[in-house]
Amino acid sequence: MTWSPYYTGDGIPRDVQLAPPPPWRTFPRRAMAKEFQPPAGLVESVNAALHLRRPLLVTGPAGSGKSTVVEQVASELKLGSVLRWHITSRSTLNDALYRYDALGRIHAQRLGQAGGVDDIAPFMQLGPLGTALLPAQQPRALLIDEVDKSDLDLPSDLLDVLERGEYEIPELARYQDDLVCVRQWGGEEYHAIERGRVRCTQFPFIVMTSNGERDFPAAFLRRCIRYTMPPPTAPLLRQMIMAHLQIDSEEHGTVRDLVEEFVARLDGGDSLAIDQLLNAVHVMSGIAAPGDNRRQNVVDLIMRELSRA
């Protein structure tokens, strides 16, 4: 069962059992590596980035599967868990390299914790980019998501680190001990850093995503392998629906109509995301899908144009 009027608006308490969520809304979140269908040219772009040890910059509209690329590559090549750095307008390079809680350390010193021993390690953690650049036997996988949301200077700030594959933590370079074990991003593993210097031995596989909302400096672009997600076509959408929901849209009239409507609206200039179509298909293909009198209202609600409030 996909659709049911759990909420009726009558204010009467009742026991309800929610239907299972869509596969992409189960928690803890699982990687969609097996379901992802790489469009033409993406495989070659990924392999070029791997051969050249360059970041892959993937541009495309929201919901087109850009961030899933790194999950599939990491799964196929056994690169381990994907490190993630989600960019906002306040993101800085230092935050991605390491986090240092100076105030917490000062507070601990005043309280005389740890028997008066001044230990910097508990107040420092490597960020996602800093962890990806640690020495390793094989490359780590890193997603830098929505890099076009960053401050104007961030792409330029990344250049030196991505070119040299190393960085310094000044607080550790000045610290009294030569070796400090610092916690890595996304887990409880630690790495011993010598004199505050981190140098990668295997350049990470980095996927940077962009919604195409801004231009990047030429110096930044020439250091990347670039790929633009193609506009979704009906055959590609049918493949995605089959991969995610195991529904053959050619044999399901309602789903076929949704695909045709989605493509027609894109061709007409509407801004829509593929996950909106998947949401609509999930609802409309269920046993208890809305009836004819409510069908279009629910479809319009789910597939509302994105460029308007």
Side-chain angles (χ1 to χ4, degrees), residues 230-244:
T233 61
L236 180 61
L237 294 171
R238 287 195 289 267
Q239 289 180 12
M240 291 182 178
I241 292 170
M242 176 59 77
H244 284 278

Side-chain angles (χ1 to χ4, degrees), residues 18 38 42 44 51 61 72 76 102 116 145 153 182 184 198 207-208 210 213 216 225 228 245 269 298:
L18 298 179
L42 178 58
E44 289 78 9
H51 276 289
Q72 191 173 69
E76 283 195 19
D145 202 18
D153 293 330
V182 179
Q184 300 180 31
V198 175
V207 172
M208 296 184 285
S210 168
E213 297 178 357
F216 296 106
I225 301 297
T228 300
L245 297 170
V298 175

Side-chain angles (χ1 to χ4, degrees), residues 40-231:
L42 178 58
V43 171
E44 289 78 9
S45 299
V46 168
N47 284 315
L50 289 167
H51 276 289
L52 298 173
R53 304 301 197 273
R54 291 290 187 183
L56 175 64
L57 175 61
V58 182
T59 302
S64 58
K66 301 186 299 296
S67 59
T68 313
V69 176
V70 69
E71 294 178 352
Q72 191 173 69
V73 176
S75 175
E76 283 195 19
L77 304 187
K78 298 182 178 181
L79 301 183
S81 299
V82 175
L83 299 163
R84 298 173 183 273
W85 179 21
H86 185 77
I87 299 293
T88 70
S89 60
R90 298 179 300 277
S91 298
T92 65
L93 176 60
N94 276 350
D95 288 340
L97 294 175
Y98 69 96
R99 317 285 174 89
Y100 173 49
D101 183 8
L103 293 178
R105 184 182 175 197
I106 293 172
H107 185 63
Q109 290 172 335
R110 288 178 176 175
L111 293 178
Q113 294 179 355
V117 176
D118 179 23
D119 186 4
I120 195 175
F123 306 100
M124 186 161 287
Q125 180 186 19
L126 296 180
L129 177 57
T131 299
L133 291 172
L134 287 174
Q137 295 298 316
Q138 63 177 2
R140 291 176 170 87
L142 170 66
L143 172 66
I144 303 179
D145 202 18
E146 297 192 334
V147 68
D148 52 341
K149 297 289 196 301
S150 71
D151 176 84
L152 290 175
D153 293 330
L154 182 60
S156 298
D157 293 342
L158 281 168
L159 293 181
D160 185 63
V161 172
L162 296 182
E163 190 68 24
R164 295 169 59 85
E166 63 180 70
Y167 64 96
E168 183 183 71
I169 302 176
E171 292 83 358
L172 297 186
R174 299 191 299 264
Y175 191 58
Q176 59 193 10
D177 297 337
D178 288 344
L179 287 176
V180 178
C181 288
V182 179
R183 186 159 60 95
Q184 300 180 31
W185 183 258
E188 296 301 322
E189 296 184 28
Y190 287 76
H191 184 86
I193 297 176
E194 183 176 2
R195 302 308 305 165
R197 175 62 61 175
V198 175
R199 295 182 175 91
C200 78
T201 53
Q202 293 286 341
F203 189 79
F205 174 65
I206 300 176
V207 172
M208 296 184 285
T209 70
S210 168
N211 292 332
E213 297 178 357
R214 60 176 278 196
D215 296 326
F216 296 106
F220 175 77
L221 292 177
R222 75 175 179 83
R223 288 171 169 84
C224 302
I225 301 297
R226 289 176 281 164
Y227 179 82
T228 300
M229 299 292 279

Side-chain angles (χ1 to χ4, degrees), residues 2 232-234 237-238 241 245 247-250 252-266 272-286 289-290 294-304:
T2 300
T233 61
L237 294 171
R238 287 195 289 267
I241 292 170
L245 297 170
I247 296 174
D248 187 343
S249 59
E250 288 296 302
H252 197 298
T254 299
V255 177
R256 183 176 61 249
D257 293 344
L258 286 171
V259 171
E260 292 175 355
E261 176 187 347
F262 185 83
V263 173
R265 290 182 60 185
L266 287 179
L272 296 168
I274 293 174
D275 56 355
Q276 290 177 282
L277 173 63
L278 293 174
N279 290 337
V281 170
H282 177 74
V283 170
M284 293 302 162
S285 63
R294 289 189 298 168
R295 177 189 178 282
Q296 194 57 47
N297 289 338
V298 175
V299 170
D300 292 343
L301 176 70
I302 296 173
M303 294 207 299
R304 189 172 179 178

